[in-house]
Amino acid sequence: MEQLLGMNFDEVSLQFSKISMYPLFDAAHYIVSVMALKEQPGAVDVARRSPFACWISAMIYCFGGAVLSGLFLAEPALLPFSNTSNIVLASIIWYLVFYFPMDLVYKFTAFLPLRLVLASMKEVTRTWKVVGGVAHARARYEEGWLVMIAVGWAKGAGGGLMSNFEQLVRGVWKPETNELLKMSYPVKVTLVGSVLFTLQQSQYLPLAKHQLMFMYTMFLVINKIRMMITRSTTSVFAPFEAVLYSLLFQWQTGVQGPSGAPKKGIKGRRENPNGSTDTNGNISESVEEKGNGTTVSRNGYRKKTD
């Protein structure tokens, strides 16, 4: 029975890994990406004032991963735009989402059951992008783990990693939204996937590629649906992040945690207008000299000086 279940899983995962992304899954990726752009503050105004700038932003959302991963491997930045069929499909979707009369296309795709399906299909494309990025980097740098991880991460989450550049196209500058400073869930889960597939490609995971692809995709889809239905923004990695941070990065004094809250440690200096402080935060008594040879402390007690 166990062998039968194992064979079924292997066969299902193998057939799953042969699914073609074009055109249905790629179209779902473009729809979700363009909808995310439209929901950004000020994006609709940019679409009215400068359709060309809006189109450039949409292409970054749709093909940012391919552009960034290509730059990591010293490939032309415009190489992803050489696929005319994908560019035309993404451009048609961009036009319909932004400019269709009465906003009917956006309203239709924003219907929750349909949006769940589209978002799930987009997560499937994320797996394919990570796998493709890792394999592409391994073909050039077979022992370059860091290169494989970086390229797979960039290809799967390039739209998020290039968000600051995309904002500049729309005339917005928000450096505090840099994904490297505060990673969003998609960027984190893509990084985890890139590490897993790098280990698998290097024969350090006892799983076939198609099996890992199936398991990783199911994890992405289930968590995406859960977060959308519950409207939760809490990352499933939060408990692990807290443990790793406390073990590895909390020893330095004065370091703040990932949430910005101060961590326990040696107290810093405390300023007091009526006295000095030492490094342990103890306030020393300041005194005033009097002409009669006495000193008066701030607490009011008189002390005789020699």
Side-chain angles (χ1 to χ4, degrees):
M1 184 66 180
E2 293 181 357
Q3 293 180 352
L4 180 61
L5 292 175
M7 291 177 59
N8 287 337
F9 170 74
D10 187 70
E11 292 175 359
V12 170
S13 60
L14 183 60
Q15 294 300 318
F16 176 78
S17 66
K18 297 179 180 179
I19 296 177
S20 175
M21 294 294 102
Y22 184 85
L24 294 179
F25 286 88
D26 283 342
H29 165 66
Y30 301 150
I31 292 172
V32 175
S33 299
V34 175
M35 289 176 64
L37 171 61
K38 186 169 184 177
E39 292 167 356
Q40 296 298 312
V44 175
D45 292 335
V46 172
R48 293 171 180 169
R49 290 186 286 105
S50 177
F52 181 70
C54 181
W55 179 80
I56 292 293
S57 294
M59 295 303 103
I60 294 175
Y61 263 77
C62 295
F63 302 100
V67 172
L68 187 59
S69 62
L71 291 176
F72 282 179
L73 295 175
E75 295 179 348
L78 296 179
L79 183 61
F81 298 96
S82 61
N83 191 328
T84 305
S85 58
N86 286 76
I87 296 297
V88 171
L89 178 60
S91 299
I92 292 173
I93 291 173
W94 160 77
Y95 183 83
L96 293 177
V97 171
F98 271 93
Y99 300 103
F100 196 83
M102 300 177 63
D103 215 13
L104 291 180
V105 172
Y106 173 79
K107 292 177 181 178
F108 175 71
T109 54
F111 182 55
L112 182 59
L114 179 57
R115 191 160 190 171
L116 290 175
V117 174
L118 294 173
S120 300
M121 295 174 69
K122 175 180 169 62
E123 295 306 311
V124 176
T125 66
R126 188 186 305 278
T127 300
W128 262 245
K129 293 176 188 297
V130 173
V131 173
V134 172
H136 190 186
R138 188 170 186 268
R140 295 192 178 187
Y141 307 95
E142 187 173 354
E143 301 298 329
W145 281 26
L146 183 59
V147 178
M148 295 162 63
I149 293 172
V151 174
W153 185 31
K155 194 161 187 177
L161 294 172
M162 294 184 66
S163 59
N164 287 108
F165 178 74
E166 181 277 324
Q167 290 169 357
L168 284 177
V169 174
R170 293 187 286 116
V172 179
W173 174 241
K174 294 182 179 180
E176 67 276 5
T177 62
N178 189 333
E179 286 284 354
L180 297 180
L181 295 176
K182 188 176 181 181
M183 291 187 189
S184 60
Y185 166 76
V187 174
K188 290 179 183 178
V189 77
T190 305
L191 177 59
V192 172
S194 186
V195 172
L196 290 176
F197 283 105
T198 298
L199 293 175
Q200 189 279 325
Q201 289 287 305
S202 303
Q203 307 299 322
Y204 282 91
L205 280 183
L207 289 171
K209 184 177 73 172
H210 59 272
Q211 294 175 339
L212 182 58
M213 289 176 65
F214 182 81
M215 296 171 62
Y216 179 69
T217 304
M218 292 302 104
F219 174 80
L220 292 179
V221 171
I222 291 173
N223 275 282
K224 186 65 176 181
I225 293 176
R226 177 191 63 83
M227 295 175 69
M228 292 181 66
I229 292 177
T230 60
R231 300 182 181 275
S232 173
T233 58
T234 304
S235 171
V236 295
F237 303 115
F240 303 100
E241 292 175 18
V243 172
L244 288 176
Y245 180 84
S246 62
L247 291 176
L248 300 177
F249 305 108
Q250 196 177 333
W251 301 105
Q252 180 65 35
T253 60
V255 175
Q256 292 186 340
S259 62
K263 296 294 183 179
K264 295 181 181 179
I266 300 177
K267 296 181 180 179
R269 292 180 61 89
R270 294 199 303 264
E271 298 295 333
N272 190 297
N274 296 329
S276 61
T277 60
D278 57 21
T279 56
N280 292 323
N282 300 318
I283 302 177
S284 303
E285 214 177 48
S286 62
V287 296
E288 294 180 355
E289 294 187 0
K290 299 294 183 179
N292 56 3
T294 62
T295 59
V296 180
S297 65
R298 291 295 183 185
N299 57 17
Y301 293 98
R302 293 178 178 271
K303 294 181 181 180
K304 185 67 176 180
T305 58
D306 294 334

